Each structure stands twice: as structure tokens, then as C-alpha cells.
Amino acid sequence: MEIEIYSDVVCPWCYIGKRRLEQALESYDGEVTIRFRPFQLDPQPVHKPEPLVDALAAKFGGPERARQIFEHTTGAAAQSGLTLHFDHAVSANTFDAHRLVWFATSRGRAAEMIDALYQAHFTDGVDVGSRSALATLAGGVGLDETEVREFLDSSAGVAEVRGELDAARELGVTSVPTFVFAGKYAVTGAQEPETLRSVLDEVSRREAADAVIRPVGEPSGAAPKAGECADDSCAV
């Protein structure tokens, strides 16, 4: 089963959602391939990084309200074994970070790169919009730092990542994380591991039923319509 994860590396619930999916997969026996798809919560350029609390204060109704939201999110992350330090985080445009994930995917290091980016932003206060910082992070997961910096300074991957961002919008992805199972069933939000485990079982059952061998010449049934999964069940 292929699982596509639409996410942004400055989205805390994407970080939490990825970890919860990993927890769900610990007890799942089926074969799974994970593909990371880019999404930008805010595509506007960030000319000068500023503390995330300040950057999001207006959006959340002031610094105090922002801190309340951060406290809630930090608690949810801790339950999944993640450490978030919003007071250290700085605002960043994530387009180059998504290009780096695209590059890391071609080197078999996508999952490690995603984790490094999440930790850098939410725990270590690294500016993930900085190409020099991104190259250093890439070196930490076994990629060649010089090669990565040359890649980021070029136009490589730009068209591809833009194309994937456009494709996400065309599919109707408007919030992240969004998990797409087997190319048909979508779950939005950082659902609990138990919910995601139920989705895995349900999608596996449906895919197995759809794969029944038919005699040669028998017309096949209509392809299943795209559906959405919510909470602990999937609806056609």
C-alpha cells in the first residue's frame, strides 16, 4: 500500500501526524511505501526571519492566544514522544525545504530528511528557509553537504516541486497533514494511532476485495470512486 503524506515542515500537526502514523504502522503487517508530498501553509517570502510567536500572533488573535495554542500543541506532541520549543522557532518560507526533501527522496533519505527538518524548526530553532542551514541539515542525514548546497543554488527541482504543489491544490488538499491511502482514501488531520490503524485495516480489506481475479473476458466492475476516510472509517 502506498501512503502519500501531504505536509509542511513548519506544521506541528504534520510532525505529530507523521509520528502517529509510524506508531500505527508498528503493529501493521502489510507492506507500505510512504511518499512525502509538499504543501505550503504560507508561500509568501520571508525576508527576515522573526520569532514564530510574533509572526503568528496576529493570525491567532494576539501573543497570549498564540502561546495558549502552542502550549496545547506542545502537550499533544509530548504524548507522541516529540519535543517542541515554539519559543525557539522562527518563521520561514519552506519552498527550498521541500526541494531538499525532493532531492533526498532521490537518494533514499526522505524520511530522515523530513525528521531532521521538523526537529530543526520546532526543537532547535533553526531557520529552515536558509540554504546554508538546509545544507548543514542534509549533511547530518548522510547527504553530501556541498552537493546539496549546489543543488539549492540551482534551479533543479523547482519545476517539480511547484508541479506537486499545484497538484495538491487541484486534488483539493487545503489543510495538512493529509494522508492518502492507496491513492483513493484521504484522512485529514493528525489522527490518533488507533484511528490510523483502523484505516490501514479498512483500506487493506477494500483493496484486497477489489483485486479479486476475474475470468478472461468478464467485464470488470467500475473502478471505485475516490473517497475520504474520517476518524475510524472510510466512506466511498
Side-chain angles (χ1 to χ4, degrees), residues 26-73:
E26 289 175 0
S27 61
Y28 179 70
D29 295 331
E31 184 175 342
V32 169
T33 299
I34 295 177
R35 292 185 61 85
F36 297 97
R37 302 295 191 187
F39 186 91
Q40 283 194 285
L41 290 169
D42 186 357
Q44 297 301 314
V46 176
H47 301 293
K48 183 179 180 181
E50 61 178 323
L52 193 62
V53 174
D54 296 339
L56 296 181
K59 178 179 179 180
F60 292 152
E64 184 58 33
R65 178 56 181 158
R67 291 185 183 280
Q68 291 174 357
I69 293 173
F70 292 158
E71 182 177 351
H72 168 71
T73 308

Side-chain angles (χ1 to χ4, degrees), residues 6 38 95 157-170:
Y6 290 84
F95 187 80
V158 170
E160 289 82 357
V161 171
R162 283 179 179 162
E164 290 202 28
L165 290 169
D166 290 341
R169 286 191 292 271
E170 291 172 4

Side-chain angles (χ1 to χ4, degrees), residues 25-204:
L25 289 171
E26 289 175 0
S27 61
Y28 179 70
D29 295 331
E31 184 175 342
V32 169
T33 299
I34 295 177
R35 292 185 61 85
F36 297 97
R37 302 295 191 187
F39 186 91
Q40 283 194 285
L41 290 169
D42 186 357
Q44 297 301 314
V46 176
H47 301 293
K48 183 179 180 181
E50 61 178 323
L52 193 62
V53 174
D54 296 339
L56 296 181
K59 178 179 179 180
F60 292 152
E64 184 58 33
R65 178 56 181 158
R67 291 185 183 280
Q68 291 174 357
I69 293 173
F70 292 158
E71 182 177 351
H72 168 71
T73 308
T74 298
Q79 292 177 1
S80 295
L82 302 175
T83 301
L84 307 185
H85 293 306
F86 283 103
D87 286 341
H88 298 169
V90 296
S91 60
N93 179 283
T94 57
F95 187 80
D96 279 337
H98 287 303
R99 287 178 62 215
L100 178 54
V101 174
W102 180 85
F103 177 88
T105 299
S106 69
R107 302 296 194 275
R109 291 284 190 275
E112 297 92 334
M113 194 70 256
I114 284 277
D115 280 337
L117 287 164
Y118 281 136
Q119 181 172 334
H121 178 69
F122 288 110
T123 306
D124 303 329
V126 173
D127 176 11
V128 295
S130 162
R131 290 181 176 178
S132 60
L134 291 174
T136 299
L137 291 172
V141 301
L143 299 174
D144 185 279
E145 187 172 337
T146 300
E147 181 184 12
V148 168
R149 183 55 195 260
E150 292 175 351
F151 161 78
L152 291 171
D153 287 339
S154 74
S155 61
V158 170
E160 289 82 357
V161 171
R162 283 179 179 162
E164 290 202 28
L165 290 169
D166 290 341
R169 286 191 292 271
E170 291 172 4
L171 284 172
V173 177
T174 58
S175 63
V176 286
T178 292
F179 305 91
V180 178
F181 296 80
K184 305 172 187 176
Y185 310 95
V187 173
T188 300
Q191 303 294 331
E192 294 290 343
E194 297 79 11
T195 299
L196 292 170
R197 182 65 169 80
S198 296
V199 173
L200 286 164
D201 290 341
E202 177 66 9
V203 172
S204 295

